[in-house]
Every structure is written in C-alpha cells, then in structure tokens.
Amino acid sequence: MKSIVYMDHAAATPVAPQVIEAMLPFFDREFANPSTVYDLGFKAKGVVDEQRARVAELINAEPEEILFTASGAEANNLAIKGSVFASYGKKDRIITSAIEHHSVLNSARFFERLGYEVAVLPVDASGVVDPKHLHKILDNDASRVALVSVMHGNAEIGTLEHIEALAALCHQYGVLFHTDAAATVGNIPVDVKDLGVDLLTISGPAFGAPKGTGALYFRRNTRLMPLVHGGIQERGRRAGTENVPGIVGLGTAASLARNGLAERMALLEELRDRLITGVVERVPHVVCTGHPRMRLPGHASFCIEAVEGEALIYMLSREGIYANTGSACASKALKISPVLGALGVPAATAQGSVVFTLNETNTPEEVDYVLEKLPQVVATLRAMSPIWKD
Amino acid sequence: MKSIVYMDHAAATPVAPQVIEAMLPFFDREFANPSTVYDLGFKAKGVVDEQRARVAELINAEPEEILFTASGAEANNLAIKGSVFASYGKKDRIITSAIEHHSVLNSARFFERLGYEVAVLPVDASGVVDPKHLHKILDNDASRVALVSVMHGNAEIGTLEHIEALAALCHQYGVLFHTDAAATVGNIPVDVKDLGVDLLTISGPAFGAPKGTGALYFRRNTRLMPLVHGGIQERGRRAGTENVPGIVGLGTAASLARNGLAERMALLEELRDRLITGVVERVPHVVCTGHPRMRLPGHASFCIEAVEGEALIYMLSREGIYANTGSACASKALKISPVLGALGVPAATAQGSVVFTLNETNTPEEVDYVLEKLPQVVATLRAMSPIWKD
Amino acid sequence: MYSEKVMQHFATPQNVGVIEDADGVGEVGNPVCGDMMTFYIKVNNGKIEDVKYQTFGCVAAIAVSSQVSELVKGKTLEEAKSLTKGVVAEALGGLPKQKMHCSNLGADALARAIHDYETRTHGQHPCPHRENQTAGCTQGCCDTGEIS
Amino acid sequence: MYSEKVMQHFATPQNVGVIEDADGVGEVGNPVCGDMMTFYIKVNNGKIEDVKYQTFGCVAAIAVSSQVSELVKGKTLEEAKSLTKGVVAEALGGLPKQKMHCSNLGADALARAIHDYETRTHGQHPCPHRENQTAGCTQGCCDTGEIS
Ligand SMILES: Cc1ncc(COP(=O)(O)O)c(C=O)c1O
Ligand SMILES: Cc1ncc(COP(=O)(O)O)c(C=O)c1O
Ligand code: FES
Ligand code: FES
C-alpha cells in the first residue's frame, strides 16, 4: 500500500513522466513564438498544430475544429459567450440544465443582464435530464434560442447525460448545442460525430494534461465571437501567446488517453463497483448519488447521513485517503451544492457528501483500505453528531 | 559568437533553468487542486499565494491586488471587459489610444456593438499620447467614461507613455485608468503606486516566465466582472483550475526580474544604442521608429526604405539573426501596422519595418554581427527592388 | 488553512458527548450552512462543573465546540456568559475568514445551555425582554439564543 | 510555412534585374499589401528571349517572380500569356493560403509587359475592348493589366 490513497482525480491528476518529458524542450530550447515569421516560429506553429490533430483524434474531430484554451472553464465560457454573442440581437434565450458546472451556469446568467432569458432544465433524482423537457421549450419557441448547453458527465455525481438525443432534438429545431465534456473526455470514449454536438468542452487536467490547459471543439462553420479578443492566434478566435509547452502536454496526454481506454474503463468500473458495494454494506444510512449505471467508470459518490463532508474529508486525509465533498461547509458560498439540490437531496443529507474519483493507478487494495477506514471515520463523527440516532 | 543571434525577446523569451526547476514538482508530485479542502490542496493554495506576493512585489502592489491569467491578452480583456461591464448601464464610453495592442483595441471595439462609443487618442510621430487630448475629452463628458486605457510601453516601436500624467488626469475626473504594461513589467521598473493606475496588465513570457502566464493588477476595490465566469478561483474573478506550475514559473521569473534590474537596463541601453547608431550609419535611408529617449532599454526599431520586412526577416534568419517586423505582408490582415500608421509612417516605408528586442544575454559582438549582416541583406533586397533608386 | 490549534482540537476533540442528566441543554442550528451543535452543562455552586457537546458540522465547528468546552469548564456562569466568538477564535489561533461564523455556533449553544439552566433552576426566565414571568419574550432573542 | 521550392527561389532568385532596352515593361502594385513588381521582356521571333524583374515584396512575391521568369523564358508570347497564378503556385509546390494573392503579382506583371510589347510593336492596341485604334479601352482592363 502506498502511503497516500489518492481518489480525487476529478479535481486534479498528476502529469505523467512522458508528458512532462514532451513539454520540457518548449520552455527553453524551442521557445519561439508561433506567430513569428521565421523558421523557428513556423516550427513552433507546426508543433501546436500537431497537438491540435492529436486532440482532434481523441474526440473524432478535425484539427481545425479544435481551439486551445487555458481551462475547461474558459472553454465553457468561450462556447457560451462566443456563440451567444455571435447571434446577439437575433436570439435572446439560453437553455441549460440544473446540474451544470458554475462556468456554464454563470456564463449563461451573465446574459440575463443583457436582457436574455435563461431556462434551466430539471433533472431527475439520479441527475438525468429528460429530453422531453427540452422538447417542450423548443417546441414553444426555438427561433429565440441562441444555445442549449447540457453537460456530458457530472464530476460530482458521475451521471452521464443523453447527449445524442438532446443534440438531435436541437438540430431538429435548428438550434446550436454545446456539451461540457470536461469530466468525460479522456475518461470514456467521446466522439463528436456520434454525439452530434456543435460545441464541446475539454479540460486537460481531467486526463493527465497539465493544469492551465483545455480546448473547445467547435463544429466547422460554427460562428464564435472570441472570449479573449486580440490578435490572430487560434485563427482570430482566442488571442494571447500560445502556451506551447502546455499545448504539447495536452496533445501528448490526449494521445496517451486513447491507449487501452476500454481496458482502463473495465478496470475502473470494477474498482468503482467494489467501492460502492462495500460502502453500502459497511456504512449504514448512506445514499448513493447519481445514476447507478449511466455513470463515469471510476466515479463513486455518496451522501452519508449525520456527518459533515469537510470534517469527513479531513479525517480521511489523516488516514492518507484523499477524496472530495460537495458539502455546504466546504463550498465558498456555504450553500448546499446546486447539483445535490437539483437531485432533491435534503440539505442535511447533502452535508454528508463524499466523492471518490479513481484512476487506473488505484488498486483493489486501496479500495479495501478505504472500506476499512471509512466506516471507522464515519462512526467517530457520528458519535459526536447530535442528529445521529442509532 | 553563438550560432543564433536571437533579438526577438518581445515575441518570446526562453525560460531560465531555475524557473523550470521551480515549476517541475508541481506537474507530478505536488499536483493537488488548490481548491480542495485537504492538506495537499491547502499547500497548493499556499504556493499560489506565495507567487501572488512575488508578482505583487515586482510592481509594488499588494498580493490581493494580483489576479493570475493565461496571457497578457487575457489580462487586457479582463481589465477592459471586466471594468466596463461592471458599470454597464451607467457609462457608455471607452477611451484608448491609436497604438494599443489588438487585445486592448478589440476589447474596446467589442463594446461598440453593445452601444458604446470608443474614442481613440492620437499619438505624435514618435508614438507619444499627449495628455491634452485626453483632457479635452474628459472635460467634455467624463461622467460617461467607463474606462481609459493607454499602454505603458509599445513592443513594436519601443515608446514609453506618460502614464502618471494620464492616470492623474483620469482620477481628477473620477475615471478608471488601465495601462497595458505587458511590454514593460520585468524590463523596466514598474510601480503601480507611482503610476497611480487602477488596472495594469502583465505578460509572463515578456520576462522569462513560461508561455500561458500573465496577471492583472487591480487596485483594491476596483469592481471587475469576470471574463471567465465560474467557480471560486481567484476569489471569484477568474474561474478555471489554477495553472499551478505556470504560476510558480511566473512568480519565480518575477523574483528574478527584480535582481539587478538597473544594471541590466544600463547594459541593454548601451547595446541598443550601439545597434541604433550602427544601423543609421551603415544603412542609408533608414528611419528610426518610436521615441529616441523615452523607449524600452533593449528596443531598436527601424523602417528601411524600399525593402519588405518579411523578406528581410527571412534573409536575416538565414544568417542566424532573429528579429521581428510589422510589415503588412507579415501580418495576417495584410494591412499596414496600425501602430506605424498612427505615427504617420507612409505605407511603403512601413513595409520595411524591422524590430530588434534584446535581452541581457545579447552581447556587443552579436550587435556587431548584426551591423555586419544587415547592410548586406538590405543591399541584396534593394538590388532587386523596383522602388530603390540610389 | 487551519491553525495547528484547530487541527489539534479536531484530531482529539475534548469533552465530546452527552450529559444525560444535564442541568442545562442548548442547541443551535447554523443558519449559514445548516449544521447543528448541542451543549450540555452540569452546574454546581454557580460553576460549570461539567460540559459536553455534540456537533454536526465542519472541522472548524468541531474545533470550536472543543475549544469552548475547555474554556468554560470550571468557570462561573458569569464568566462563561461573557465568552464571545472573538475569544474562541483567538484561543484557536484564528480561523479562516469564511469559517468565522462557525465560532458563533459554540458561544451560542453554550449561552443557550446556560439560559436553559437558569430558566429551569430559578423557575424564571432571565430574559430581559419579557414583562413578567408568564409573558413570552418580546424581542425574539429567546428563539435565537441571543441572551446578554 | 513555405515550401522547399519557394525557399530555393527566395534564396537564389533567378533572372533578377532590369533589361535596359526591353521590348516590353510591365509594372503592378499589389493592392492587398502595397508591394510592387516590374517585369522586363526581350522578344525575338514571337518568343521571350530574355526576361528580368524587380520585386518589392515578401518572400512569396520574390519566389513568384523568379518562378514566373523561369516558366516563360524561351516560351512564345502565346504560351506566356496563358500563364495563370494557379500554374505559378503549383510550380512553387504550393503557397500558404494568405500568400496566394502574391502569385497574381507575377502573372499580372508579365501580362502587362507583353501587352506593352504588343502595343509598341504592332503600333496598335491589342485590347479587345476598344472599338478602333484611337478609342480607349471601354472595360478598364488596360488599367488593371487584365489582358486576356
Ligand atoms: C503591449 C502588449 N500587450 C499585450 C500583449 C499580449 O501579451 P500575451 O502574448 O501574453 O497575450 C503583448 C505581446 O507582445 C504586448 O506587447
Ligand atoms: C463538468 C466540468 N466542467 C468544467 C470544469 C472546469 O474545468 P477546469 O478546471 O479545467 O476549468 C470541471 C472541473 O472539474 C468540470 O468537472
Ligand atoms: S459548520 Fe459549516 S462551515 Fe463550519
Ligand atoms: S507581397 Fe505582400 S504578402 Fe506577398
């Protein structure tokens, strides 16, 4: 057993040695600016475009349909603001879902002060958006809708959405569709042609690329106003000197992520199910959050009654176990997680949120270690909890 | 003589070994997300805040007045869109200058479609903004002005602006003032308190930090709407997982930049003057662009009559000399550089733009090598130029 | 993020538990994030002879309750009543800004426990906001535990 | 960014220079980026016996002029007239998209030089858009060098 059992891969992943190795030359040796007109600059531009092709390959896109960004959040902002501003004055509605990442939700809300209406699609108790809700709104007045944005997979509850159906519905009505695939790309197969989306968000650190990287897929001819206005980088769609080493890291990680994805997923599903089954068996009064089957392979999420998540995470970390929580106390806003709220989880139950996100370096032994420690930690906290009655 | 004489430090700088060294642990060993609530996350957050203090120190700001971005262009966009949106509905004018970077100008122009007016301050033949033009506009109707943005130093012509006077004028009228100091921070002393600015843009790669880094100084209590909406990072002002290694690179480069700045500037001024004097002596019909004294220390820029810049840069690069050009043929828009245009340089003359930006690794021998090769290259191109008559 | 002292209290919280035959019990719910704290006191000769608590809340909330219990154990009721959130936070070596509200929880729950004790033993309500023994509190402070 | 072939021409441009006693001279200014190219031809027996040029322009413009001069040297006027920018770009192994317009420069300047030669020698204007020898061109093609 290694001394640290890290199961918070949705929050951060270590960068693999071969990814770091690939990046290194671009800090000091091949440092030219890709926008310069001499050979060193062309070479740098060529390197950037090679990575574009590698990222495109990961999601079955064309290289020129990939824009590099500095994060998944930036890609979400660019997708939403870029496409909504592109139809400014013609459309005035945005549709999104109740379990989106803040970067999607707040980008949409930003338009409210410019006079737009934002419609939020509800989810069921396992976090799934039913296309019929979208159908109803579109049927009513699709011509006003600038964009529909529904995430591919949720990092807090692991649920995967019916993106193909939602995208098809949008296209039936001639409406643009974006999906935030920050939690899925690199972790499950993502094929933009199968999904049929117009815009798709990628976050680098979700699959072993360095922090400070992300990308946006935009289907050819999708109109986008830049989020970062300025020069000619990314063909005028995103200004700022290209982060060449970061982009090389993203491209290399994208190539690595394609290798043995199916095997990796099978392994993770097994570990995940071992963890979920074990927790449900050993910890009384625990609720599994998200969808039981339509979920990310390495993702196990729970709400444990009568304990608070931040305290739980702390106690777990003292045993060397690193996980996440959506507890109100751990949030900056000190409010119930909007995702858990949207599922209808009561506020007190949501306080006991704990999320384990595994990757292929995790082992069955580590899972068993968690299954040994978690019940102890929960028991300790419950022993001092005024709302625990057993 | 090293085989490459790199004199395009305004476009890109190599990252120093100690900066790379400082970044490395944060890719794989200390990779936790700074927003997590366990010890590893707090440590990462602490590291980010240490870098904030280092960047603040470089410009005499407080740590909480520094926001990290992914580029100077993003910092410019955040400064302009963030502050202008913060007074949306109350003000409807933006003032900038004729020699701004595209990221400033296009951010301002973006507001035109939202009903704003953009006033562009003219510059004199050496690229200097006369505060009296600003005075006139402010005197007319300062209450409508959301922001004034005038750059600190121009990377194409090297000219430095009267920022203190412009900022003081703005504050006299209660108007917010931003300066794009992407070309100056790290290269000359920049003190936000002396300058008296409300917002100031920093670009990492301008002083040896890795690409993909930048920062915005915002004076305490300056209202800013996020450019990248989303979560809680950067205290709600810029969402997206923090680029921890990049930020460590920026902080380390900021600390290095403070060391011996005065000596470095003196050295660069000497090299620059050797280059300028030499070029003027040896190349007939050459125009020096920018201000003769109020200019960046390592910056030498010219327009060479009857030759075209891209061809010139190519021929220089074949001699191992790397420089830049603002020629129309080298620009994506294939138009005369707006900066040279604003100075009143005729279009044909502007085609001969060549810009050398030195740093402290350049030597007098390298300058002499340029002084040997440049006249030969110019002669070769002029020999085939139909507009050259000698 | 948390001080050494907070972490110590959290790792080994003192005086956790329930006093079955408590002389006073005070319970508060945290309006900010929805957590809960209950204090139990045993009073003897005007002094807090024993104190215990239960806490459903974050690391700070647990450390705060432990710190409060230590600060007031053996103290007179008057001394205990003068305990403020500032004193608690200071004793803990400070709290992160967004966690300062958690230090209210401890002082409030204790104050309610003392209030409960006083109501029970004196057969009268010490609240200054009631006109007589039978009328209710007119300011609502008895519902929020704000007894001064 | 540029092909090998472009770089070769740029490094050692062929046929650069002026023919002092040229039979035809054609000059074009590049409306896109404001550069300039002048072609000089010497004609013998309906063939381009010699060709030279001067170019003020980018790498692509210089390579294009060199390539054009090579393509037409020794060719008949009719063959030379049929030269298109596409042929020039292809001969160069392609040009970056934003540099395609530079390949116009070469074909245009050459066409003007031939036009100049024909006007001079035949004492007549070969432009199809004039009704007779004395009237001007009615379509403006003579001002833009678009002779077909
Ligand atoms: C004056 C000025 N502003 C902004 C920028 C953009 O900086 P970045 O490339 O970091 O986006 C530059 C880049 O050279 C610059 O010179
Ligand atoms: C679904 C989803 N969208 C967006 C993001 C933001 O990505 P980044 O941290 O790269 O900005 C995340 C981050 O975890 C995420 O899970
Ligand atoms: S109890 Fe919720 S933040 Fe402390
Ligand atoms: S001559 Fe200007 S781009 Fe070629």
Side-chain angles (χ1 to χ4, degrees), chain A residues 308 310 327-330 334 351, chain C residues 2 30 32-36 56-62 98-99 101-102 105:
Chain A
E308 187 283 322
E310 194 211 55
S327 142
C329 298
L334 296 171
Q351 285 288 54
Chain C
Y2 287 120
N30 187 343
V32 181
C33 43
D35 295 299
M36 191 167 282
F56 165 52
C58 74
V59 171
I62 290 173
Q98 80 270 28
K99 293 289 185 178
H101 72 278
C102 308
L105 276 178

Side-chain angles (χ1 to χ4, degrees), chain A residues 8 31 38 77 211 229 314, chain B residues 8 31 38 42 77 211:
Chain A
D8 194 12
F31 66 87
Y38 38 71
N77 274 256
K211 294 179 180 66
H229 276 94
Y314 252 77
Chain B
D8 195 12
F31 68 88
Y38 39 70
F42 298 145
N77 275 255
K211 295 178 180 65

